[in-house]
Amino acid sequence: MPCLTNIGTLVTCPPEGGQGDLGAVRGAAMVWEGDTITWLGPRADLPREADQREGASGNGPSYDCGGRLVIPGLVDCHTHLAFGGWRADEFAARSAGTGYPEIAARGGGIASTVRATRAMSRQELADRAGGFLQGMVRLGITAVECKSGYGLSVEHELRTLRAYRDLSGSGAPRLVPTCLAGHMVPAEYAGDRQGYIRLVTEEILPAVAREGLASFCDAFLEPGPGLDAAETTAVLEAGHRHGMVAKLHADQLTDGGGARLAASLGAISADHLERVSDEGIEAMAEAGTIAVVLPIAGVYLNCPPPPVRRMVEAGVQVAVATDFNPGSAPSYHLPLALTLACVKMGMSPAEAVRGATTVAARACGLEEVSGSLAPGRPADFAVIDAPDVDSWLYHFKEGTCAATVIGGVTVAGQLPGSQ
Ligand code: NIG
Ligand code: FE
């Protein structure tokens, strides 16, 4: 049984805890067998059979963490992982004062990525997304929600979701696919928006469901670049009829009543929420809708931060994710998102970590496998080169994740100090 000893801080994130509850154990050890954790706790309590320090009868390697931090594998619960091209031209235009909706109205924005994505084969999409996943794993990420939404036709939405299916498997993070055919109305339906909504509800979502390609259904509620409330409702209700749980891009650029709509449709999460109203927060608290905040997109689009403190006080659970996409968030650096959640949104480092582990796992249906460390749960964890969570998120630097383990297999870096 492999054993990690001399862990400076072991963050367990107990599922039943509150937003800031890390369940931290100082001076800890952790043992796993195959893909499953079998024991964790204070080093002094390590069972003799797992303890190699005194030459006891343990039969697996023992690793000395040298006082480092060990956390549950990070969960990025909101990404647009597979896409063609980049949009550096828009980044430059936005820095010169052109707005995101204005760029979209000119045929840029999501529409330009749709053109580049449709030009890629399933293999090319999988290869590129797979490269991003390798980078994510090196940051300590062990599970990723990944959206379609740059295909926007039956053929191209299926292509992206099939590419995600191709990527699932050993060595890769656990993937949770979401159908985001409701991202926007594509150019060829500009004069027939209802025609596109019918295509989504009567063809795309049924085809996705037939192949079991997505667990969640999402839409971008933002009249102008995205869908209006009636279109969003039609899409998410159709997703529900086909067994997909709703998620919603809500109240990002304007308060479009997205939080309330997400709550009323039984969505698992409402994401973005920079412009959410107090009524929206109340509705989410009542319905148990998770708030997913996306600080990297907030910085790139220079949006005001979402009112996280009011959400937490109202009893809303808050997840933190990257929103990785070529427009509003061209970075999959989830630890950076956590640091920004502290700096820009007033989350404590503990709350932010919980938001990218336990709460994030819940926001993408992975609460049974990801987001917490305990005996009987999968050995998905990261060894971080910092003594504790505060020091980790304070000191933003390269190479902080020493090793990432998924299901007991080291998929990036090296477990330190093999004895
Ligand atoms: O979550 N808001 C809508 N969708 C993405 C942006 C996609 C894009 O710009 O390509 C987001 O920010
Ligand atoms: Fe997004």
Side-chain angles (χ1 to χ4, degrees), residues 81 109 409:
L81 185 68
V409 177

Side-chain angles (χ1 to χ4, degrees), residues 258-272:
R260 254 173 299 142
L261 186 62
S264 73
L265 291 172
I268 185 82
S269 71
D271 303 34
H272 283 291

Side-chain angles (χ1 to χ4, degrees), residues 78 80 87 100 110 150 183 220 249 252 272 323 325 327-328:
H78 183 138
H80 305 251
R87 299 194 334 243
Y100 182 89
I110 298 167
Y150 293 122
H183 207 179
F220 178 26
H249 284 69
Q252 178 189 14
H272 283 291
D323 196 18
N325 75 73
S328 59

Side-chain angles (χ1 to χ4, degrees), residues 188-271:
E188 63 273 22
Y189 280 93
D192 180 18
R193 295 183 67 90
Q194 272 319 301
Y196 182 65
I197 300 305
R198 272 197 307 277
L199 181 79
V200 175
T201 58
E202 293 171 17
E203 296 187 46
I204 298 181
L205 290 170
V208 168
R210 268 195 302 278
E211 288 190 43
L213 287 171
S215 317
F216 294 93
C217 178
D218 197 348
F220 178 26
L221 171 57
E222 191 72 58
L227 305 189
D228 67 23
E231 294 163 345
T232 297
T233 303
V235 168
L236 296 185
E237 285 182 343
H240 180 72
R241 283 196 298 279
H242 289 91
M244 290 169 235
V245 176
K247 287 181 155 285
L248 185 59
H249 284 69
D251 304 333
Q252 178 189 14
L253 306 175
T254 51
D255 172 16
R260 254 173 299 142
L261 186 62
S264 73
L265 291 172
I268 185 82
S269 71
D271 303 34

Side-chain angles (χ1 to χ4, degrees), residues 343-356:
V343 174
K344 306 288 282 186
M345 301 179 180
M347 295 185 86
S348 70
E351 288 174 328
V353 166
R354 183 98 188 168

